[in-house]
Amino acid sequence: MILERDPEGYQMAIMIRSMKKNKKENNKISSIQDKAEESYMDELHERAKGVSLEDTELKGCNTVLNVSFSGEKAEIGEISTQEFFRIKVE
């Protein structure tokens, strides 16, 4: 009956119902993801117990891959690594 009298209103009601259903499902998924992330962080904290950074050297590097495109083929060129910082932890 609503469909016949107000087709736009009917479509709006169907969309709202669908959005509410999707919101409930997304909340369930989000909750599962939050629990998994929390469990993973707890595991990392357990692994880190007793680890010391003394006498450790930290360094950061960028890796560069040169690729050139000519026509339909890509040519892979040189691969290089560039160090951008080095820190000695004492």
Side-chain angles (χ1 to χ4, degrees):
M1 183 171 110
I2 296 173
L3 179 59
E4 292 174 5
R5 293 186 182 179
D6 186 9
E8 290 178 17
Y10 178 78
Q11 288 176 348
M12 183 86 65
I14 295 297
M15 283 188 352
I16 291 171
R17 182 186 294 168
S18 176
M19 289 170 50
K20 285 182 180 179
K21 182 180 178 185
N22 288 341
K23 186 176 180 181
K24 286 181 184 178
E25 290 174 8
N26 288 339
N27 286 339
K28 287 179 187 176
I29 292 169
S30 179
S31 175
I32 292 168
Q33 287 174 336
D34 290 346
K35 287 178 184 175
E37 288 174 7
E38 187 176 325
S39 174
Y40 179 71
M41 292 305 292
D42 289 344
E43 182 181 332
L44 287 179
H45 282 112
E46 280 298 313
R47 286 185 183 182
K49 286 182 180 177
V51 174
S52 173
L53 288 178
E54 290 183 21
D55 298 325
T56 302
E57 186 173 84
L58 303 174
K59 61 182 177 179
C61 299
N62 284 330
T63 303
V64 178
L65 169 63
N66 291 319
V67 179
S68 64
F69 296 94
S70 59
E72 295 179 8
K73 294 185 180 181
E75 292 185 27
I76 298 177
E78 186 177 317
I79 299 174
S80 62
T81 303
Q82 302 165 334
E83 188 174 292
F84 62 90
F85 76 82
R86 182 184 294 249
I87 301 171
K88 178 75 172 172
V89 180
E90 297 176 4

